[in-house]
Structure formats: C-alpha cells, structure tokens
Amino acid sequence: MHIVLDDTAMAAAGQGNVLASRLIHRAHAQAGWYLYAPACALVEADRARPGTAEHLVALPGITVLDLDLPAALAVARQDTWAVAHCHYAAQPTPDRPDGAVIATTAPGRWTGEPVRVLDLTP
C-alpha cells in the first residue's frame, strides 16, 4: 500500500490524529506499507504547524519525496505547490503501477481530481 500524506494529514499527525498515527505505525511495522511526504506539502504543513517537518522526517517509515525536475514541472502548472506535489506523487510509476492513495483531513480539496483519497477525519 502506497500512501502520500498531504499537508493536512501531516499537520494532523503532529496533532495526534489517531488515524494518521496508525498509518505511520503500520508503515514502520508492516512490510508492504509505504508513506510518502512530498517536500512541498511538508513545507506547507510546517507553516501551518511549526515543528511538523522535523517531527515527520525523524519517524521511521516515512519517505520524503524531493522536488525533482518532473515534479517541479508539474508544480509549475498548478496553483498550490503542496497539492500539486501530492498529486504528482500519487500518479503511477514503475515502482507503483497503481499509483498511491492520498491521505488527507480535507477530502473536499481532492474532489474532481483523478486520485484515490483516504479520509483521515476522525
């Protein structure tokens, strides 16, 4: 299971959201579960809740996705960097042929987007 944390999910994890905490634990303890933190979303989460970035990158089981050239080009076409980087990260790749699910506490922001969403609203 490949899951991309958007900025709202990252901030929620830092505030003790039980569902986000379960995802983090599962990615650390269970084979086949992967959590990704796109760098642009990580910045937005840290702006919303200072200290979130340092907290998340220190956790085992979370992979920070850098803003490489293809991601930067995708981001350049969108209004917000955090959403664009998450959307880009959720797309199918050779390593993730089915793409990834986006975990969020704001599922409405993904309405109409061609992505699968995991609602972390308690």
Side-chain angles (χ1 to χ4, degrees):
M1 177 64 82
H2 297 273
I3 300 172
V4 174
L5 299 171
D6 77 357
D7 55 309
T8 67
M10 291 181 208
Q15 294 173 321
N17 178 293
V18 173
L19 298 174
S21 294
R22 286 181 186 165
L23 282 178
I24 292 166
H25 174 72
R26 184 162 278 179
H28 173 65
Q30 191 170 343
W33 282 75
Y34 305 94
L35 284 183
Y36 304 99
C40 293
L42 192 60
V43 168
E44 286 303 315
D46 200 68
R47 285 181 181 166
R49 187 171 189 281
T52 298
E54 290 86 0
H55 173 72
L56 284 175
V57 300
L59 296 173
I62 295 182
T63 302
V64 176
L65 300 177
D66 295 329
L67 187 64
D68 59 9
L69 180 58
L73 294 173
V75 166
R77 292 184 214 111
Q78 299 295 326
D79 293 333
T80 66
W81 288 33
V83 171
H85 201 183
C86 289
H87 186 274
Y88 173 79
Q91 298 308 304
T93 66
D95 294 338
R96 298 184 307 271
D98 294 327
V101 176
I102 296 179
T104 183
T105 60
R109 83 166 23 165
W110 299 102
T111 300
E113 295 292 331
V115 295
R116 295 173 291 156
V117 173
L118 176 60
D119 186 354
L120 298 183
T121 305

